[in-house]
Amino acid sequence: MRTVDLITRKRNGEELLPEEVTWLVESYTRGDIPDYQMSAFLMAVYFENMSDREVEAMTAAMLASGGKLDLSDVPGPRVDKHSTGGVGDKTSLIAAPLAAAAGVVVPMVAGRALGHTGGTLDKLEAIPGFNTKLTIDQFKEQLRTTGIAIMGQTEEVAPADGKLYSLRDATGTVESTALIAASIMSKKLASSLDGLVLDVKVGAGAFMKRQVEARRLAQLMTAIARRNDLRAQALLTDMNQPLGFAIGNALEVMEVSQTLLNAGPPDLTRLSLELAARMIFLAKLTETLEDAREVAQARLLDGSGFKKLRDVIAAQGGDPMVLDRFDMLPNATGAMEITAPRAGYVSAIDAEEIGLASSMIGAGRDTKEDTIDPAVGVILQVKAGERVDEGGVLCRIYYTKEDRLEEAAERVEDAFRLSSNPPEPRELILEVVS
Ligand code: URA
């Protein structure tokens, strides 16, 4: 087989055979296919898409690039949650501790910032000392003692996704239902789950801008789950404006802490509780989803979700005091206010623009080799539907370097739309696919 022939056939819209897709993934993971050829292949997939059979083969090959974790000696029902990527989306760090506090075991193989969206691993690494590179033994031991362990792809767990993920991020090939489905499902199948809750984001700040595309992605992933005997539910949720107020790694950790203390933004709290409830329900810890909602709410109110996150931080090398003392987290050196040019209602906040602006000042990566600046980001002062006066503060940009700050500020300013009438309220949870 020649890589160039497979690239050409995909570029021409042909369906590849499962063994051809497998060969590409295996050869790339081994280092036998260079990044430039794999990038061309990914771009061809971006434009020409993949059939369900190709996605299935890609997922299986990415899963087989490592192995399936043997968690048979970890007692308890194993359920994870994964988002397709959003701006200000820190629900994993809230829903997982709430679910774990209710008795769910959460073996989480998480991702990094991708495109304009944030990543759970980058948020956690904003905590000084937090180690996301666990060995399999450490991962398993922590699941037994703490009920949650969080790590990234490794040589043993979905290494193909580790390589492809950073390549897609740097080559404009993220927004493909086929590639997103294979990326997410290969990691999730590797962690030997009983259940999986998927948060499929829709709207300006999501990779899927339209509900029909998001539904297709949700159906693709739940079908893969079904074929692999994994109970899965996908929620389609609104990502037209950032979730919560904070965007940026350390800033989001602070908001996670507030939310687990029941003092967080209403949208973030509501979605996190719903995701946690579905994790508890899929773990079969309650008879009904309604009961699971009550359990999730109780774990929030009694502080046990907060305590669970403290335990995870301590177990993975960080100081849990960061959740109480935000000065222990990396802090920005400057703040810039963005104000309203006129009075009006905030009719929209383009989450993609806010995500791109944050990435531009260091919260994300332009190239595979870039490092993240954990301190920087944006804190919204208002959300869609609220009224502002002329000169009222819309948000603050937190930065550590001034290069690209002006450009980022322009983007942030453009992200806010003002209108003279209040906008129609939007639903946060749009649809459930299972
Ligand atoms: N999350 C992932 O793990 N992969 C994607 O491609 C998008 C979101």
Side-chain angles (χ1 to χ4, degrees):
M1 251 178 261
R2 286 198 330 149
T3 310
V4 65
D5 297 334
L6 299 183
I7 297 170
T8 309
R9 282 177 44 216
K10 185 43 54 196
R11 184 204 64 194
N12 293 345
E14 277 181 44
E15 184 186 26
L16 301 185
L17 295 170
E19 52 272 29
E20 292 171 327
V21 174
T22 306
W23 180 83
L24 266 173
V25 172
E26 282 175 354
S27 310
Y28 178 64
T29 312
R30 268 201 314 271
D32 293 347
I33 294 179
D35 277 353
Y36 63 83
Q37 280 193 308
M38 201 59 187
S39 306
F41 176 75
L42 295 172
M43 192 57 87
V45 172
Y46 172 87
F47 281 113
E48 292 300 328
N49 209 350
M50 277 181 151
S51 66
D52 289 0
R53 187 175 73 159
E54 287 174 305
V55 177
E56 191 78 42
M58 179 117 182
T59 309
M62 287 168 71
L63 167 64
S65 67
K68 237 179 145 145
L69 286 175
D70 177 5
L71 299 181
S72 54
D73 51 350
V74 177
R78 296 184 294 271
V79 180
D80 193 7
K81 171 269 151 192
H82 201 91
S83 160
T84 57
V87 178
D89 179 9
K90 66 270 306 163
T91 53
S92 291
L93 296 181
I94 303 163
L98 289 174
V104 180
V105 174
V106 189
M108 185 178 281
V109 181
R112 295 192 176 277
L114 198 56
H116 62 279
T117 68
T120 300
L121 298 178
D122 295 320
K123 294 176 219 246
L124 287 170
E125 285 177 0
I127 299 170
F130 195 101
N131 174 23
T132 59
K133 298 188 178 76
L134 301 180
T135 64
I136 306 284
D137 285 344
Q138 286 170 328
F139 189 72
K140 283 168 69 163
E141 182 53 22
Q142 193 176 315
L143 285 175
R144 277 189 219 99
T145 54
T146 314
I148 315 186
I150 307 175
M151 67 176 193
Q153 311 93 329
T154 65
E155 284 304 310
E156 291 142 309
V157 181
D161 184 53
K163 285 190 81 177
L164 287 167
Y165 198 90
S166 44
L167 188 63
R168 286 166 59 217
D169 190 28
T171 56
T173 52
V174 173
E175 295 94 335
S176 149
T177 43
L179 298 178
I180 294 175
S183 163
I184 293 180
M185 294 311 292
S186 61
K187 284 194 283 287
K188 300 295 120 173
L189 294 175
S191 48
S192 303
L193 300 169
D194 300 309
L196 172 64
V197 179
L198 293 159
D199 184 4
V200 180
K201 300 288 185 195
V202 195
F207 295 128
M208 302 297 118
K209 308 289 181 213
R210 293 181 311 133
Q211 199 161 330
V212 56
E213 296 169 333
R215 188 180 304 123
R216 161 91 188 112
L217 175 57
Q219 287 165 344
L220 200 52
M221 291 193 289
T222 48
I224 294 172
R226 244 190 327 275
R227 281 195 287 278
N228 286 277
D229 291 325
L230 169 60
R231 296 191 287 279
Q233 286 188 353
L235 302 190
L236 267 52
T237 70
D238 183 61
M239 187 31 73
N240 278 298
Q241 64 174 334
L243 195 57
F245 293 105
I247 301 102
N249 298 293
L251 299 174
E252 293 192 41
V253 171
M254 299 177 202
E255 195 167 69
V256 163
S257 166
Q258 290 160 341
T259 307
L260 281 169
L261 290 170
N262 200 23
D267 59 345
L268 179 62
T269 306
R270 173 152 178 254
L271 182 54
S272 303
L273 279 170
E274 184 63 19
L275 293 165
R278 288 183 184 264
M279 291 173 78
I280 294 165
F281 181 60
L282 283 188
K284 299 194 172 164
L285 292 172
T286 58
E287 293 259 311
T288 66
L289 179 56
E290 215 31 68
D291 291 347
R293 289 188 177 119
E294 279 173 25
V295 173
Q297 177 81 25
R299 297 293 80 87
L300 178 72
L301 297 181
D302 69 8
S304 52
F306 181 79
K307 180 172 178 313
K308 188 59 82 177
L309 185 60
R310 288 181 61 104
D311 294 346
V312 175
I313 293 173
Q316 294 196 222
D319 183 342
M321 277 297 285
V322 294
L323 295 182
D324 305 294
R325 285 200 31 210
F326 296 161
D327 59 324
M328 291 170 66
L329 286 164
N331 273 288
T333 47
M336 179 193 255
E337 282 185 351
I338 303 293
T339 56
R342 60 184 152 54
Y345 289 93
V346 178
S347 57
I349 307 172
D350 188 324
E352 180 162 12
E353 289 300 308
I354 304 272
L356 285 170
S358 304
S359 184
M360 203 175 261
I361 55 169
R365 299 175 184 80
D366 283 343
T367 67
K368 288 203 300 179
E369 292 73 29
D370 279 353
T371 50
I372 295 264
D373 183 342
V376 301
V378 174
I379 295 200
L380 305 180
Q381 282 303 115
V382 289
K383 297 275 286 190
E386 286 181 39
R387 207 186 140 70
V388 281
D389 294 329
E390 184 183 331
V393 179
L394 297 171
C395 69
R396 289 188 179 81
I397 303 179
Y398 290 88
Y399 60 92
T400 54
K401 290 196 210 86
E402 299 210 5
D403 44 314
R404 304 188 81 188
L405 178 61
E406 281 306 321
E407 203 187 330
E410 271 170 36
R411 270 189 187 275
V412 171
E413 219 169 315
D414 288 348
F416 284 86
R417 314 275 145 71
L418 298 175
S419 64
S420 38
N421 295 313
E424 285 291 313
R426 278 180 189 275
E427 288 292 324
L428 181 59
I429 299 171
L430 304 164
E431 203 175 313
V432 180
V433 174
S434 56

